[in-house]
Amino acid sequence: VPVGVNPLLAVSQMLHETGYLVSFWSIREQRNPAGIGVTGKSSQVKPPNTDGWKFNTQRNQWEVGISFKNWKHHSIPAHVGRLLAYVLSPRTGTPEQRDLIARALLYRPLPLRTQGSAQTLKQLGKVHNPSGEGWASPGLDCGQRIATIANQFVEPA
């Protein structure tokens, strides 16, 4: 809330990305709330350099993705800061927002053309993002799924 991100939307995106916190990437040791850096690249054999790789015990293979040290100081700031980076153009926003974005992009950079490119949930999907990039790829219904999850938490008026 202090940086202008609706917690309901951040949690809804996390639930969408992690299959309601059951994916390998969301469980302890990885603590990745939103598939940050998870590219789909995998290997049946252990890579010579395992930096950026983890052994996925659910699929019994090595996969690329980011693991975070803890939720409070690493995972959640990386998630919220990355969301802000998609919404805010470079060098805009409050000092707190810019700091959070900078922290988040240390984990995984975001091209300048992509920063500020998602003014709607729909634009988090690559297919709908004006930069040609997106959080989800292809992301045909990414925004709709996030909205559907969020709406399940909101009581009708």
Side-chain angles (χ1 to χ4, degrees):
V1 172
V3 294
V5 173
N6 182 327
L8 180 58
L9 293 178
V11 168
S12 297
Q13 185 200 17
M14 175 195 65
L15 293 172
H16 166 64
E17 293 284 345
T18 65
Y20 288 80
L21 293 171
V22 298
S23 80
F24 167 78
W25 287 103
S26 66
I27 60 177
R28 193 169 275 143
E29 274 206 36
Q30 290 66 247
R31 295 177 193 88
N32 190 331
I36 299 170
V38 177
T39 64
K41 186 174 181 181
S42 64
S43 176
Q44 295 299 316
V45 291
K46 184 176 181 177
N49 179 355
T50 57
D51 288 348
W53 290 83
K54 284 288 183 181
F55 187 77
N56 185 326
T57 55
Q58 292 174 344
R59 290 192 272 271
N60 212 25
Q61 64 186 10
W62 288 88
E63 296 180 0
V64 170
I66 296 175
S67 297
F68 293 94
K69 185 176 180 177
N70 64 51
W71 288 101
K72 183 177 181 179
H73 299 290
H74 298 278
S75 303
I76 294 168
H79 180 201
V80 174
R82 194 163 186 85
L83 280 171
L84 282 170
Y86 271 95
V87 173
L88 297 174
S89 297
R91 295 172 295 285
T92 64
T94 67
E96 293 81 9
Q97 289 170 326
R98 289 192 305 271
D99 288 346
L100 196 55
I101 290 169
R103 278 183 63 194
L105 299 187
L106 287 175
Y107 291 105
R108 181 171 168 92
L110 193 63
L112 282 175
R113 72 180 180 281
T114 305
Q115 294 179 39
S117 66
Q119 300 304 302
T120 67
L121 289 175
K122 186 175 185 176
Q123 291 172 326
L124 287 174
K126 180 178 180 175
V127 71
H128 300 292
N129 190 288
S131 75
E133 299 290 330
W135 193 301
S137 181
L140 294 170
D141 59 355
C142 171
Q144 181 58 52
R145 288 179 182 220
I146 294 168
T148 298
I149 292 167
N151 286 333
Q152 291 173 356
F153 291 103
V154 179
E155 290 186 44

